[in-house]
Amino acid sequence: MKLATLKNASRDGALVVVSRDLTQYVSAAAVAPNLQAALDDWDALAPRLEQLYAALNAGTAAHAQAFDERLCHSPLPRAYQWADGSAYINHVELVRKARNAEVPASFYTDPLMYQGGSDSFIGPRDPIYAQSEEWGIDLEAEVAVITADVAMGASPADAAKAIRLVLLVNDVSLRNLIPAELLKGFGFFQSKAASAFSPVAVTPDELGSHWAGNKLHLPLMVQLSGRPFGKPNAGEDMTFDFAQLVAHAAKTRELAAGSIIGSGTVSNKQGNLHGSSIENGGVGYGCLAEVRMYETIEGGAPTTGFLKYGDSVRIEMFDAAGASIFGAIEQTVAPYPGRR
Amino acid sequence: MKLATLKNASRDGALVVVSRDLTQYVSAAAVAPNLQAALDDWDALAPRLEQLYAALNAGTAAHAQAFDERLCHSPLPRAYQWADGSAYINHVELVRKARNAEVPASFYTDPLMYQGGSDSFIGPRDPIYAQSEEWGIDLEAEVAVITADVAMGASPADAAKAIRLVLLVNDVSLRNLIPAELLKGFGFFQSKAASAFSPVAVTPDELGSHWAGNKLHLPLMVQLSGRPFGKPNAGEDMTFDFAQLVAHAAKTRELAAGSIIGSGTVSNKQGNLHGSSIENGGVGYGCLAEVRMYETIEGGAPTTGFLKYGDSVRIEMFDAAGASIFGAIEQTVAPYPGRR
């Protein structure tokens, strides 16, 4: 099943069911006004959403309309939790290598995860607003899951059963604010701007054999200002799967339905700077920080800059037949114009 | 105006207006089903809630009922944001002194703040559930504010205007999990259990002259298992006021209505271990970690233990006439019984 949230006058938008091929949608208002409401009572409501989905794909749904992902907000325009792991340890290894530090052994058994701001997500086609280019604006192309209620201390097996939906994320990061903020010891706060999610969230069954071992085994396609920048496979080099990440988040407190747990920047192990870029046959990168780390490791200093006003980011994933699964996150960096 | 949330079958509870003396309440269902809904449309709805409040205090409200704070959930049982500062630098100074470290100069100009979990708060009279006493269960007695929408980059003056409600917090902390977690560099996650808030949230005008300079100038009364433990004044030694804390949170992203911003453990500067405890004439402490830091500084090691199953915590604040302003947070530590 594929779900999306159309922007409307409300803070939570309107829940719609989207056809598998992303061409049609039908309102889900008769089932739930918004996605959070559906997640709050999922076991009772999901079967009714599935019925709409089946009818839509069969061409028998009443009031089906053309779907335009440009009209979408993030599936949860605001959420009660956004917790982001850093499950692709290759990314962490590069960070450490670039500053001549070791990766602690515990990082391979105990996931890194930070609590993110979830009150004001931006839409998948909304600008990335920043008050200064000097903040070091970067994308982070990721996969995330949305959970059901999870008990404190849930095992990874129990956590796996709580995965309701899968979607893509651009976890916008302000790189030049990170070092000073992490030195303070309390983690990321100002250095993480508002995140954007893919127009469409899908149930794991929709991913077929690409969803295996609680990982999504497909390349995550990333473009910067129209040029290919990355295609790392989200199923490769993921040290912690989503069940482990959800269990980590639930270690000392319950998680409520609608919690979003992210993978961290998708990153595949590659040889070196020359061989890692798309144009040189590599799989490229999910964030600018990564190519800058290769540059630092091999050349002593980064040469690639961060995003500037007018630069654009596109993040998307395609199935084996080449069809977009989640729709595209496509955003342009812009100066903040004041509160909408 | 005083507002509370009664537990009901829904995840968000039922919004009620509470009389100034906390003896009566009246349903606010005709205005907004829950507090988040009221905050979402505050400018339109608050005047109607104020009318109910005036009638309730005048004894003219229809359907007024006896108020029992034991039936309350936290005012926002789940929120879109919980960000907690560490505005009482005395607390940070003691932490650092206990490990022979300096407080960086920037800590006096740049607030510490961490992003907390907000999807599953516990009620003010709910047990503090933990799966192990070895986690080092501690209270943190704090003041917090709930905001309106705030623009990115808002000044402290603008942030001050966005403060809608004031309430108390017990930011439950798992001390023995903190050192390893902070070493990982991503801030608190598992080391912060679910927080509880006071039964009642109040508008700043309700605090009269005690609300000045965006600080709450009253002692925060803390009991441990029925014995006085702390009475630090929340208006003293607060290096950053709430306007500064809200502005800090909004530096690089908008804040949505219903964001909760906390003060951090209330902590007053005192001379030493002997003079700081209540029984020796001091103002005591807002958390067990603080007395343990005095013990470490003066005796080389802490001797006071953390909370055990069966221990209880009570946090409350009284006006000049001795009346409880927010009702009491009163919680007993217990083993986690599984998801409710």
Side-chain angles (χ1 to χ4, degrees):
Chain A
M1 171 163 65
K2 298 195 174 191
L3 301 173
T5 294
L6 296 185
K7 290 183 176 184
N8 66 10
S10 78
R11 292 173 183 265
D12 296 303
L15 180 64
V16 300
V17 177
V18 182
S19 63
R20 182 166 289 124
D21 65 3
L22 307 186
T23 62
Q24 300 277 305
Y25 81 91
V26 63
S27 168
V31 181
N34 55 60
L35 180 55
Q36 183 62 51
L39 290 159
D40 283 349
D41 197 16
W42 185 262
D43 290 342
L45 301 180
R48 296 170 57 194
L49 296 172
E50 291 279 9
Q51 285 174 7
L52 285 174
Y53 185 61
L56 190 61
N57 287 325
T60 59
H63 310 298
Q65 294 180 259
F67 178 66
D68 183 348
E69 57 186 86
R70 293 171 299 183
L71 305 182
C72 287
H73 208 308
S74 286
L76 289 171
R78 53 181 181 175
Y80 294 105
Q81 178 154 246
W82 159 233
D84 198 12
S86 187
Y88 298 86
I89 297 291
N90 182 60
H91 180 79
V92 181
E93 288 169 346
L94 287 171
V95 172
R96 297 274 168 155
K97 199 168 173 185
R99 59 175 204 241
N100 288 309
E102 293 281 311
V103 177
S106 66
F107 279 27
Y108 296 92
T109 56
D110 179 34
L112 282 172
M113 183 173 284
Y114 80 92
Q115 192 84 50
S118 57
D119 58 304
S120 296
F121 294 135
I122 52 178
R125 302 299 175 104
D126 289 347
I128 297 168
Y129 289 128
Q131 289 194 320
S132 170
E133 292 176 326
E134 299 306 309
W135 287 348
I137 306 154
D138 198 1
L139 71 152
E140 289 203 352
E142 311 188 5
V143 179
V145 299
I146 303 179
T147 76
D149 293 319
V150 180
M152 185 192 302
S155 66
D158 286 337
K161 292 178 204 148
I163 295 172
R164 292 280 176 261
L165 294 166
V166 182
L167 68 176
L168 307 182
V169 194
N170 181 13
D171 182 45
V172 180
S173 298
L174 304 172
R175 300 290 179 193
N176 293 342
L177 304 186
I178 290 180
E181 191 151 64
L182 293 197
L183 264 182
K184 291 164 70 179
F186 275 27
F188 305 100
F189 197 101
Q190 294 179 336
S191 51
K192 291 289 184 177
S195 296
F197 294 81
S198 53
V200 173
V202 312
T203 47
D205 65 290
E206 196 65 42
L207 301 164
S209 62
H210 301 301
W211 182 256
N214 299 300
K215 301 178 184 179
L216 178 46
H217 297 265
L218 282 170
L220 186 56
M221 308 304 289
V222 182
Q223 291 184 359
L224 285 191
S225 297
R227 288 196 300 276
F229 181 69
K231 54 178 183 179
N233 192 304
E236 294 176 11
D237 303 320
M238 191 185 193
T239 306
F240 305 101
D241 65 35
F242 279 107
Q244 291 171 300
L245 294 175
V246 172
H248 181 85
K251 170 77 175 172
T252 61
R253 49 182 158 95
E254 299 176 336
L255 309 184
S259 290
I260 311 175
I261 310 294
S263 68
T265 309
V266 177
S267 175
N268 290 165
K269 284 184 195 296
Q270 303 186 83
N272 53 35
L273 174 59
H274 180 75
S276 60
S277 67
I278 294 269
E279 55 266 36
N280 286 320
V283 299
Y285 322 100
C287 62
L288 284 159
E290 196 156 310
V291 63
R292 288 167 55 90
M293 292 187 286
Y294 276 113
E295 290 165 352
T296 301
I297 292 164
E298 298 183 23
T303 55
T304 300
F306 290 117
L307 298 172
K308 298 293 183 192
Y309 295 143
D311 287 348
S312 69
V313 172
R314 186 177 170 101
I315 301 171
E316 198 165 12
M317 188 176 267
F318 301 92
D319 66 17
S324 180
I325 298 172
F326 304 96
I329 297 172
E330 186 164 17
Q331 306 184 279
T332 300
V333 180
Y336 181 62
R339 193 172 168 88
R340 291 153 285 179
Chain B
M1 171 164 64
K2 298 194 174 191
L3 301 173
T5 295
L6 296 184
K7 290 183 177 184
N8 65 10
S10 79
R11 292 174 183 264
D12 296 303
L15 179 63
V16 300
V17 176
V18 182
S19 63
R20 182 165 290 125
D21 64 4
L22 307 186
T23 63
Q24 301 277 304
Y25 80 91
V26 64
S27 169
V31 181
N34 55 60
L35 181 54
Q36 183 63 51
L39 290 158
D40 283 348
D41 196 16
W42 185 261
D43 290 342
L45 301 180
R48 296 169 57 194
L49 297 171
E50 291 279 8
Q51 285 174 6
L52 286 174
Y53 184 61
L56 189 62
N57 287 325
T60 59
H63 310 297
Q65 294 181 260
F67 179 65
D68 183 347
E69 58 187 85
R70 293 170 300 182
L71 305 181
C72 288
H73 209 308
S74 286
L76 289 171
R78 53 181 180 174
Y80 294 106
Q81 178 154 244
W82 160 232
D84 198 12
S86 188
Y88 297 87
I89 297 290
N90 181 59
H91 180 79
V92 180
E93 288 170 345
L94 287 170
V95 172
R96 298 273 167 155
K97 199 168 174 187
R99 59 176 204 240
N100 289 309
E102 294 281 313
V103 177
S106 65
F107 280 28
Y108 296 91
T109 55
D110 179 34
L112 282 171
M113 183 173 285
Y114 80 92
Q115 192 84 49
S118 57
D119 59 305
S120 296
F121 294 135
I122 53 178
R125 302 300 175 104
D126 289 347
I128 296 168
Y129 289 127
Q131 289 193 322
S132 170
E133 292 176 325
E134 300 307 309
W135 287 348
I137 306 154
D138 198 0
L139 69 152
E140 289 202 352
E142 311 187 5
V143 178
V145 298
I146 303 179
T147 76
D149 293 318
V150 180
M152 185 191 302
S155 66
D158 286 336
K161 291 178 205 149
I163 295 173
R164 291 280 176 261
L165 294 166
V166 183
L167 69 175
L168 307 182
V169 194
N170 181 14
D171 182 46
V172 181
S173 298
L174 304 173
R175 299 289 179 194
N176 293 340
L177 305 186
I178 289 180
E181 192 152 64
L182 293 197
L183 263 182
K184 291 164 70 179
F186 275 28
F188 305 99
F189 198 102
Q190 294 179 337
S191 52
K192 291 289 184 177
S195 296
F197 294 81
S198 54
V200 173
V202 313
T203 47
D205 65 291
E206 197 64 42
L207 300 163
S209 61
H210 301 302
W211 183 257
N214 298 301
K215 301 178 184 179
L216 179 46
H217 297 265
L218 283 170
L220 186 56
M221 308 305 290
V222 182
Q223 291 184 0
L224 286 191
S225 297
R227 288 195 302 275
F229 181 70
K231 53 177 182 180
N233 192 304
E236 295 177 10
D237 304 319
M238 191 186 193
T239 305
F240 305 101
D241 65 35
F242 279 106
Q244 291 171 299
L245 294 175
V246 172
H248 180 85
K251 170 78 175 172
T252 60
R253 49 182 159 94
E254 298 177 336
L255 308 184
S259 290
I260 311 175
I261 310 293
S263 68
T265 309
V266 177
S267 175
N268 290 165
K269 285 185 195 294
Q270 303 186 83
N272 53 35
L273 175 59
H274 180 76
S276 60
S277 67
I278 293 270
E279 55 265 34
N280 286 321
V283 300
Y285 323 99
C287 63
L288 284 159
E290 196 155 312
V291 62
R292 288 166 56 91
M293 293 187 285
Y294 276 114
E295 290 166 352
T296 301
I297 292 164
E298 299 185 22
T303 55
T304 300
F306 291 117
L307 299 173
K308 298 294 183 190
Y309 295 143
D311 287 348
S312 68
V313 173
R314 186 175 170 103
I315 301 171
E316 198 165 11
M317 189 176 266
F318 301 92
D319 66 17
S324 181
I325 299 172
F326 303 96
I329 297 171
E330 185 164 17
Q331 307 184 278
T332 301
V333 180
Y336 181 61
R339 192 170 170 89
R340 293 153 283 178

